[in-house]
Amino acid sequence: MMLIPCPHCGPRAHAEFTFDRPVEAITRPDETPDALVRNLFSRENPRGPSRELWRHTYGCRSWITLTRDTATHAITDVRPVGVGA
Amino acid sequence: MKYSALSLLRAGLGGHKDWPRAWRDPEPKPHYDVIIIGGGGHGLTTAFYLAAVHGVKKVAVLERGWIGGGNTGRNTTIVRSNYRLPELHALMELSLKRWEGMSDEINYNVMFSQRGALFLGHSDSDMLQLAQKGDAMRADGIDAELMTRDQVAKLIPLLDVSRTARYPVQGGLIQRRGGTARHDAVAWGYARAADRLGVDIIQNCEVTGMDITGGRITGVQTTRGPIGADRVGIAVAGNSGRVAAMAGLRLPIESHLLQAFVSEPVKPMIDTVIMTQSLHCYISQSDKGEIVLGGDPDAYPTYSQRGAPHIIEKAAAEALALVPALSRLRMLRSWAGTTDMSFDGSPFIDATPVEGLYFNGGWCYGGFKATPGSGWLFSHLLARGENHPVAAPFRLDRFETGRTMDEPGVGPMPQNR
Ligand SMILES: Cc1cc2nc3c(=O)[nH]c(=O)nc-3n(C[C@H](O)[C@H](O)[C@H](O)COP(=O)(O)OP(=O)(O)OC[C@H]3O[C@@H](n4cnc5c(N)ncnc54)[C@H](O)[C@@H]3O)c2cc1C
Ligand SMILES: [Zn+2]
């Protein structure tokens, strides 16, 4: 069980959040087809720190990014996403 | 030693003191024709069929821990071929047919029990989807029977089929040839059978690197030293990404976790595998009497093998609503395995861009049923360098080309499976 510190709501139970994708898999419309395929459909899938996009779906519904260790679940560097963030 | 009623009797009279070890514990040789990385069911069946069917002489299975200690020994052992897509029919039915002859083939009782695998339908749309799936199965020659609510109630008397049930039951789709098996026995049985054909099963031997020269694999680095090989097959389930990275490859896979849990053992109460079309909860009873339960995957990348309680709470709540009699049982233990989640939920059996290096993985949380089929097909690829027609669609580049096999049709995200 993880406690995820939402930048808007403070520490909340992991059950309130949903994982979306590693930040490396966020794509932009102007990327080349090769880069799109690579970023959308393959992963580094590291065992260790990973920069990820999550959403506080059952809370304030905001998107956030964080660094999470996929072996220990230690979470650091949580940041808001979006306009003004 | 061949296992038989006579050998059991003889050993019994001697107080079971003289059973020989089931497989050797060999030192790694300097070089093999084929090395399989990963001593789970998929790696062991691959090695067995390489020796038994393709006559490959020098084969080794390298396992970093003990054989069957990964997902093979952690899964809920449901075996079935009741899929919707034709590619998965061909794959899972090839596998199911091998399950039906497995205990004889390897002279080891894997306790394969074809007790029937039932999907419950809870609504009109559930029943429509089940009927469609059943038709698709029968069109491909696989057994499937649509059942009414009364037929389901007769099959599983403890199921709550009342009108006021939390999850009303409208009917179901049963595959009578589906069932369960003893997972450890599958690993041990194939290890023993492969060993008897000369395959080296090498435990406590972690692959830590790959030797690649001029785009071709020549061997692997391990915690027990370097070992040469003409061909190498990867079958490491949840560690697919880490092992592929040793060859500089990225895969369409994320490692997530799936939990399962069991109750204290009780007398026989459920003799069918119960799954449902709308919920993610599956219920069966092991031959020891434990009620085996599983639910949703935890749905985020992790190697921790430690799940969150709200996931099993949901599965338990669904199971209790379906079979209220379970409410009196105490749970004995829960655990998790690291699952190799592919983006469309279907596996990969394919060559990699590195010559001589082959990949088998992406089985998500459904690869136990595929164990003998996976080994049958992967051994074909490793021995001949080209894919068996049944394995041919399971390519690593299918997201790029748009030829995905998305059984539920939910789009290419590993956490949606
Ligand atoms: C809780 C749970 C329930 C499941 N229920 C079902 C079910 O009911 N039905 C079904 O069909 N499937 C089910 N599955 C899925 C199924 O268990 C897997 O798909 C299947 O066991 C994968 O088999 P495998 O042989 O590839 O993997 P594993 O048994 O995990 O074997 C891989 C092996 O590779 C080894 N390894 C890893 N890295 C290295 C390295 N660097 N060097 C050497 N060795 C290495 C590991 O130690 C491991 O032993 C379930 C999975 C889980 C976790
Ligand atoms: Zn929030």
Side-chain angles (χ1 to χ4, degrees), chain B residues 300-318:
Chain B
Y300 61 92
T302 174
Y303 290 86
S304 66
Q305 296 198 121
R306 229 177 37 216
H310 66 275
I311 305 284
I312 45 180
E313 190 180 357
K314 177 164 172 279
E318 292 177 353

Side-chain angles (χ1 to χ4, degrees), chain A residues 41, chain B residues 250-253 348-353 359 394-400:
Chain A
F41 302 131
Chain B
R250 281 166 65 102
L251 300 172
I253 288 178
F348 305 99
I349 300 175
D350 201 359
T352 74
F359 180 74
F394 297 92
R395 295 170 61 96
L396 281 163
D397 69 358
R398 64 175 180 261
F399 299 95
E400 203 173 326

Side-chain angles (χ1 to χ4, degrees), chain B residues 19 36 79-80 87 114 172 175 181 188 212 222 230 314 339 356 362 374-375 383 417:
Chain B
W19 287 107
I36 307 295
V79 175
R80 56 188 177 88
E87 296 88 349
Q114 292 179 292
Q175 179 177 32
W188 300 336
I212 297 167
T222 80
D230 294 337
K314 177 164 172 279
T339 47
S374 165
R417 298 292 126 210

Side-chain angles (χ1 to χ4, degrees), chain A residues 1-2 14-16 18-22 24 34 37-48 52 54 68 70-73, chain B residues 238-239 241-242 250-257 298-304 306-310 343 399-400 412-415:
Chain A
M1 191 70 165
M2 296 179 282
H14 147 209
E16 294 181 11
T18 43
F19 164 78
D20 193 82
R21 63 186 72 195
E24 63 166 3
D34 281 352
V37 164
R38 177 190 153 92
N39 293 339
L40 285 175
F41 302 131
S42 77
R43 293 285 189 267
E44 189 196 335
N45 197 11
R47 183 189 170 103
E52 297 174 334
W54 285 68
R68 193 177 56 92
T70 60
T72 64
H73 291 180
Chain B
N239 283 286
R242 302 184 68 213
R250 281 166 65 102
L251 300 172
I253 288 178
E254 277 177 12
S255 295
H256 290 196
L257 74 75
D298 278 37
Y300 61 92
T302 174
Y303 290 86
S304 66
R306 229 177 37 216
H310 66 275
F343 286 29
F399 299 95
E400 203 173 326
M413 291 300 271
Q415 72 271 31

Side-chain angles (χ1 to χ4, degrees), chain B residues 76 115 158 260-272 274 281-294 319-320 323 325-333 335:
Chain B
T76 48
R115 56 186 65 184
L158 291 176
F261 51 117
V262 293
S263 74
E264 58 192 326
V266 288
K267 288 193 172 154
M269 61 186 284
I270 294 170
D271 61 1
T272 308
I274 307 173
C281 155
Y282 30 98
I283 311 169
S284 66
Q285 187 166 20
S286 75
D287 289 336
K288 268 189 287 182
E290 303 150 323
I291 302 296
V292 184
L293 297 160
L320 293 195
V323 183
L326 296 177
S327 69
R328 307 293 292 275
L329 295 184
R330 280 164 298 192
M331 288 300 142
L332 267 196
R333 57 184 191 280
W335 65 91

Side-chain angles (χ1 to χ4, degrees), chain B residues 5 30 100 127-128 140 171 180 206 215 249 279 305-306 313 352:
Chain B
E100 288 172 329
M127 291 311 294
L128 207 66
D140 277 344
T180 57
E206 177 168 359
L249 304 174
L279 314 173
Q305 296 198 121
R306 229 177 37 216
E313 190 180 357
T352 74

